[in-house]
Amino acid sequence: MQLGADAGSLRRRLIAASCALLGSSAARAGQGSFTEQLGRLMEDWKIQSALAYYREDGRIQAIEPVISAVRDLSDGGKLALNFTFDSLSGSSPNGALPSHVAQTFASPSAKSLASARHLYTISPGRLPADPHYSDARVAGGADWTLALSRLTRLNVGGKFSYEDDFYSATVNAGVEQDFNDKNTTVSLGVSSENDFLQPIGGAPAPLSDYSLFQKGGHETKRGQGLLLGLTQVMSRNWLSEVNLSLDRFSGYLNDPYKLVSVIDAAGDPAAYVYENRPGSRTRRSVYLDNRVAWERASVGLALRYMTDTWGIHSDTAQFRLRWWAPGRDQYFEPSVRWYRQSAADFYRPWIAADSAQENYVSADSRLAAFHALTFGLKYGIGLTDRLGGIGRQGAEFNVRLEYYQQTIQNGPVAPAALQGLDLYPSLKAVLLQIGFNY
Amino acid sequence: MARRKCILLCELIALCSLTVGCSSVGVKPWQRELLSRQDMRPAGNGLDEAIDDHMYFSKEASSGGRSFGGGGCGCN
């Protein structure tokens, strides 16, 4: 009996202890639920984030934070989200030529040169640029890849971009099919883009005299794209990819803030007119990317040839080398990119006042013939073992520095009065980026 | 123009060579250790490429080719 009494007492004590233990576990679970949930959420998503600072020599500067999150789904699919914010400020070239005389312009919001809130005067010899340029952009996107079978995937996605004077929405869909023991993947995708432009001060009448302020309301632009891709595993350390793309844009393709100088016989600016570009543009491109890896290094060479109905042909070659330090927790990645393009058929650095008027004309230097070089260096350090208990595979801190230089080819022979002016100034820019992947 | 056609022809030959040769090249699943690394994946440097593409899109007349563009800026 004594034993029974002792057994009952022991049972009660055990029940009480179990309840206390459960209660304490529940309390701990309640306290840790947020961090546990956050931890579980972070386990499911791969996060990439970066903050980029871009600065041109004497022109634009921009700050751009970017974040993307990718989650592998249990059915073999994938969900990817990204978000970008840009803040730009500085001086934006307005397309007019430098001159030996001072030139005065009004910012786009002006209704006349007399009522302009922001007039700006360009000193002789300087490139005309609006010093009050400021803009902000918010952009985001989502892509969902759905595994239809072991070898077939369907992906759908969308992007948006919002600025004060520009809204853009793009949707895309595609299918990927694996062959040859998953060594070959063929993909086919289509996209549709719709843009709405509401230029500050209104969209100027094409080729209208700048001083007359003939401006309308909003404009629209549409685009459709087709992309055919082939990815091939060539060997256990060599991957090759080829893409053929075709896209077509139509609608308002002008830059509403770009002017063209009208030069008199003496070479002085007699007037300025707003540019006008064709209302459609079709582009074709071939893109070839090869990547080769070794134990502590990898290289990548990407080549692209692009041509369009505006008469622009471009060639691009980009090479990068990633070299891992012993231990494979730090790497250096130097890169170089070479680019050249021919001028658009309607690119004219200026218009002679006595010449016949052309239907399409633009002095935008982005449509000129030029070549560009980019030199970059990236350094990354793995954080998996440096974050203690919260470290995870793939965690990394990186910093990247790039230098970009664009050299514009000289155009037609300038009138005597323009001699000595830098009519085709080069562009130099630096990009500094800090990134954190988790 | 002849040079352009030559470049285009070379690129098409490269594409055809890849397509024809696809069935005879490749690796077994257990030989993909190097290929599965992040630096070997297409768009493995996703953010770097997105930031670079935006810079080039706003400064050059050509863009894209690697994947779909869109959602860009109004800078034409």
Side-chain angles (χ1 to χ4, degrees), chain A residues 195-214:
Chain A
D195 299 343
F196 181 83
L197 299 92
Q198 197 160 29
I200 295 168
L207 301 176
S208 65
D209 189 318
Y210 162 73
S211 63
L212 299 179
F213 289 85
Q214 294 176 335

Side-chain angles (χ1 to χ4, degrees), chain A residues 56-57 59 127 365 370-371 403-409 422-429:
Chain A
E56 296 174 359
D57 186 15
R59 299 189 196 177
L127 179 70
S365 62
F370 65 80
H371 69 269
Y403 173 76
Y404 176 76
Q405 179 164 342
Q406 190 182 88
T407 306
I408 299 177
Q409 288 179 20
D422 187 3
L423 302 179
Y424 308 99
S426 63
L427 170 68
K428 295 171 184 157

Side-chain angles (χ1 to χ4, degrees), chain A residues 71-95:
Chain A
R71 179 177 182 174
D72 291 322
L73 304 175
S74 57
D75 61 357
K78 190 166 70 174
L79 182 62
L81 308 172
N82 65 78
F83 180 81
T84 304
F85 175 76
D86 292 331
S87 174
L88 296 96
S89 60
S91 298
S92 178
N94 65 16

Side-chain angles (χ1 to χ4, degrees), chain A residues 4-184:
Chain A
D6 286 348
S9 172
L10 182 61
R11 191 180 302 116
R12 281 194 299 275
R13 286 179 186 174
L14 279 172
I15 290 171
S18 300
C19 287
L21 191 62
L22 285 172
S24 129
S25 297
R28 277 202 304 274
Q31 288 169 357
S33 61
F34 175 74
T35 52
E36 284 175 7
Q37 285 176 10
L38 186 64
R40 279 198 294 272
L41 185 69
M42 295 294 280
E43 277 177 16
D44 292 339
W45 291 86
K46 292 173 187 164
I47 309 291
Q48 283 192 315
S49 61
L51 177 65
Y53 174 68
Y54 170 82
R55 184 181 183 86
E56 296 174 359
D57 186 15
R59 299 189 196 177
I60 298 294
Q61 62 178 359
I63 296 176
E64 183 175 352
V66 187
I67 187 166
S68 80
V70 179
R71 179 177 182 174
D72 291 322
L73 304 175
S74 57
D75 61 357
K78 190 166 70 174
L79 182 62
L81 308 172
N82 65 78
F83 180 81
T84 304
F85 175 76
D86 292 331
S87 174
L88 296 96
S89 60
S91 298
S92 178
N94 65 16
L97 274 186
S99 173
H100 284 300
V101 298
Q103 303 179 85
T104 298
F105 302 92
S107 288
S109 58
K111 297 297 180 191
S112 75
L113 280 172
S115 67
R117 197 157 60 99
H118 290 298
L119 285 178
Y120 59 96
T121 299
I122 304 300
S123 305
R126 306 280 295 180
L127 179 70
D130 182 352
H132 309 297
Y133 177 77
S134 175
D135 203 356
R137 181 180 76 114
V138 176
D143 276 292
W144 178 42
T145 302
L146 174 67
L148 297 179
S149 73
R150 197 177 66 85
L151 301 175
T152 309
R153 293 172 297 281
L154 173 73
N155 58 69
V156 292
K159 297 175 184 173
F160 78 92
S161 179
Y162 171 81
E163 297 169 50
D164 281 345
D165 57 352
F166 179 79
Y167 320 94
S168 174
T170 303
V171 291
N172 59 271
V175 62
E176 295 177 3
Q177 177 70 44
D178 294 331
F179 299 97
N180 184 25
D181 208 11
K182 288 195 170 183
N183 285 295
T184 306

